[in-house]
Amino acid sequence: MSIVFLTNSLLTTVQDLGRKHFRRFGVNPNGTMDKTAARLVNILLGNDENESVLEMHFPAPKIQFKKNALVALGGADFCAKVNEKEIENWRPVYVKKGSRLSFSKKTSGNRAYLAIKNGFKTSNWLGSASTNLKAKVGGFKGRSLSKNDELFFKKERFEPQAQKTNYKISKSLTPPYSAFPTVRVIAGAEFEKLTEESKDGFQTQSFTVGNESDRMGFRLQSASLNLNNKFELISAAVGFGTIQLLPEGQLVALMADHQTTGGYPRLAHIINYDLPLVAQLGAGDKLNFKFIPIEEAEELLLAFENDLNLLKTACRFL
Amino acid sequence: MKYKIFPLGDDALTIDFGNEISAEINNQVLKLARFFDQNAFDGFIETVPAYSSLTVFYDVLKVRKSTAGFPGAFAAVRSFTENALKNLDEFGEIQTRLVKIPVCFDAEFALDLEFIASENRLTADAVIEIFLRRPYRVFMLGFLPGFAYMGEVDEAIATGRKPAPRAKVPRGSVGIAGKQTGIYSLESPGGWQILGRTPLELFTPEADESPAFLRAGDRVRFYRIDKFLFEKSRNELFKTEK
């Protein structure tokens, strides 16, 4: 009926795909950083893709199961073990009552997702199970999980079948995670206000993810980028993936807990299809940017959605 | 009416009416927001009204499914928006509310009142008097859940942001940044110059329909209360929560 957290961890929160319809009140969408990973692990278990999952950073918590459960892990690879047995990402895993799930080291990515058949029991807020750490609402009591917390399953009496676990999501469907990805972007409203040299620099330099990077945004370090003329921009909406130019010439890429509005120049926007690649980066990782037309970004989403629909159908028959 | 439309990522577009703070432009923004609320297209998610722009978030797949004749979702939503803008002047005026907000200016709450006064070569009382003299318009909500950007403050008391933001600005703090004024709806780091505090709750997570006390387009009149009333109304608020 529940899992119990045996240790503290860096930042473990309950998230779904995010909160819609309340940005106009200054309420940001929150939700998982890597939406593709969260959707895939849910689909794998036959859950609604918007079902709540645990988002974990490394060091990740040690978790004890108080009931038999069917789970799936995805996103970052933290070398998960159930008791002493190593378990792989992207496949359903049957976990027996009393077992302990632990994570020994980080080998790729920075955010791992744990989904459970039928999902967790969460406190929903404004139509979403996602945790809003600022307003201290949603998810698990509006906060991150720590030692001795107990997170209940949504369907307490559900008894999973142990035998149905011999399949795995094909590599062609999981994002091509890398510690140095090329990330596709579409141009932002103020990109043309950069000097020619900086326009060039944006497309040719590599950027390093800074230490002060969290669920709100990633600082991206490089040689400074400069505007032709200084100008005051009045605050307007920004989104997950908006890349802003800060006054000292460095960039910030806004992430899942971003503010709803901002007043810094918008140089570019990371396309939704590539956001998971950025969401999995950590301090010291690098990335490059490549512009593509918006129609191409839409086509990528469309093609991926068709693949996901096939996967959903397949998982339903298993 | 002049405007520009540009993508804000691959699932949103912004209609920018000019990089300017004015009630007239903000009214156009709110009229267009209301149009989308009343005439949602297939795949519409939400709008975010700002000072002089409106951003429309949409579901790319749903828009593409329902608009096969367009090269893409962005082109379809842009076309829908352009058609709406043709008739914007004929839309009825935005209904505005007058909202009165009590503020206590006692020293323990008015963290930067002395600084605002000395920057502008005024006494603290003169700053308060000038601040209370006029009503302010809520142009937009942003930054924090329920944080209202209001303006415009009299030039005589306009004060720039603090060079280094405070790590914790208490909930209810009323601040000034340039000619803008705003209320910290939650405790948060922030750089606005704080001149007082309101006991009102500007953001109520439990209120599902509209968790924010203020709305874009509201007119706000601040009035002065003393510490006794501040504590009293805070206690009353606390009681109603129970």
Side-chain angles (χ1 to χ4, degrees), chain B residues 221-237:
Chain B
R221 196 170 264 289
F222 292 107
Y223 65 97
R224 186 173 191 164
I225 56 169
D226 59 17
K227 180 81 185 294
F228 175 76
L229 258 180
F230 180 92
E231 294 295 350
K232 189 164 170 266
S233 41
R234 197 155 60 173
N235 292 342
E236 275 163 13
L237 276 172

Side-chain angles (χ1 to χ4, degrees), chain B residues 201-222:
Chain B
E201 190 168 67
L202 276 298
F203 187 74
T204 312
E206 302 78 28
D208 256 18
E209 278 298 297
S210 174
F213 183 72
L214 293 171
R215 292 202 293 248
D218 283 349
R219 285 156 59 81
V220 168
R221 196 170 264 289
F222 292 107

Side-chain angles (χ1 to χ4, degrees), chain B residues 62-187:
Chain B
K62 283 187 186 155
V63 173
R64 289 193 59 135
K65 238 177 231 167
S66 64
T67 56
F70 287 92
F74 172 70
V77 179
R78 181 176 56 193
S79 162
F80 184 82
T81 306
E82 282 166 345
N83 282 328
L85 284 164
K86 281 180 196 152
N87 304 313
L88 193 59
D89 290 334
E90 290 156 34
F91 299 169
E93 285 308 311
I94 294 293
Q95 299 295 317
T96 61
R97 307 180 302 173
L98 180 67
V99 182
K100 292 181 178 168
I101 294 185
V103 181
C104 179
F105 296 94
D106 277 20
E108 68 178 285
F109 303 139
L111 308 175
D112 302 306
L113 182 57
E114 289 300 331
F115 179 81
I116 298 168
S118 70
E119 275 292 284
N120 294 291
R121 299 192 181 133
L122 294 165
T123 61
D125 279 336
V127 170
I128 295 168
E129 196 261 318
I130 294 168
F131 180 72
L132 295 178
R133 205 184 281 160
R134 57 165 81 163
Y136 301 101
R137 177 193 177 92
V138 176
F139 283 97
M140 62 184 269
L141 272 66
F143 171 49
L144 290 175
F147 185 99
Y149 286 86
M150 295 173 272
E152 285 192 316
V153 165
D154 194 314
E155 190 75 62
I157 57 168
T159 312
R161 285 180 174 79
K162 300 178 78 64
R166 266 195 185 87
K168 276 185 183 179
V169 179
R171 184 166 94 159
S173 293
V174 179
I176 285 178
K179 291 173 81 174
Q180 305 174 97
T181 174
I183 309 168
Y184 282 83
S185 43
L186 300 171
E187 181 186 273

